[in-house]
Amino acid sequence: AMIDRWQPDAAGKLPGQSGADAKVNGFCRFAADKESGLFTLRTVKPGRVPTRDGRMQAPHISLWITARGINIGLQTRMYFEGDDVSDDPLLSRIEQRPRVETLIAKRTGDGEYRFDIRLQGEDETVFLDI
């Protein structure tokens, strides 16, 4: 996946936006390319958000993956390389610490990231039971 992050101006407004909205929430649905398995998501990089009990989560995008042969959707998250994720409540619960890396999108350019989802095998992405 590639994430493009548009830079807000000094007032926190994004290009073409009439005002900053801290409560922006979105949903999208799309299919990956049948041949390559690649997809591109263009969005605003999210900020930190609180959990129900007020603890702050690191910036992330929640993903739900469905495919032929997967009877239930697989839930995971994508975090961003370079962000401080040390105090993220969900990541801190992952007992096998090296597996946390499977949830970190790698920076490929200014505001661009690559996130590989592996359904099985070596470096299988961490999937969440929520």
Side-chain angles (χ1 to χ4, degrees):
M2 180 179 72
I3 302 297
D4 287 338
R5 181 183 64 206
W6 296 292
Q7 296 295 324
D9 65 16
K13 295 179 185 174
L14 297 167
Q17 184 183 32
S18 60
D21 185 353
K23 296 180 183 177
V24 170
N25 189 352
F27 174 85
C28 68
R29 178 179 174 167
F30 52 87
D33 181 82
K34 285 194 290 186
E35 301 299 320
S36 67
L38 296 175
F39 65 93
T40 299
L41 170 63
R42 291 180 173 278
T43 187
V44 175
K45 183 180 175 196
R48 293 174 59 93
V49 293
T51 61
R52 289 184 183 148
D53 64 7
R55 293 178 293 159
M56 294 303 286
Q57 301 175 77
H60 66 275
I61 293 176
S62 296
L63 302 166
W64 186 52
I65 298 132
T66 60
R68 185 176 307 166
I70 298 176
N71 294 331
I72 59 170
L74 300 173
Q75 297 181 43
T76 192
R77 284 185 174 183
M78 179 181 77
Y79 293 84
F80 300 90
E81 181 177 52
D83 286 352
D84 180 7
V85 297
S86 62
D87 63 347
D88 183 83
L90 185 135
L91 291 180
S92 66
R93 295 183 61 196
I94 297 174
E95 294 175 6
Q96 297 172 348
R97 299 309 300 162
R99 302 232 23 241
V100 169
E101 282 301 311
T102 69
L103 299 178
I104 309 292
K106 305 304 180 213
R107 183 184 299 272
T108 60
D110 185 31
E112 295 181 358
Y113 296 84
R114 179 181 175 102
F115 185 62
D116 293 321
I117 299 170
R118 293 185 173 83
L119 299 179
Q120 61 184 350
E122 189 175 337
D123 295 326
E124 176 183 326
T125 300
V126 170
F127 297 105
L128 311 172
D129 185 15
I130 358 186

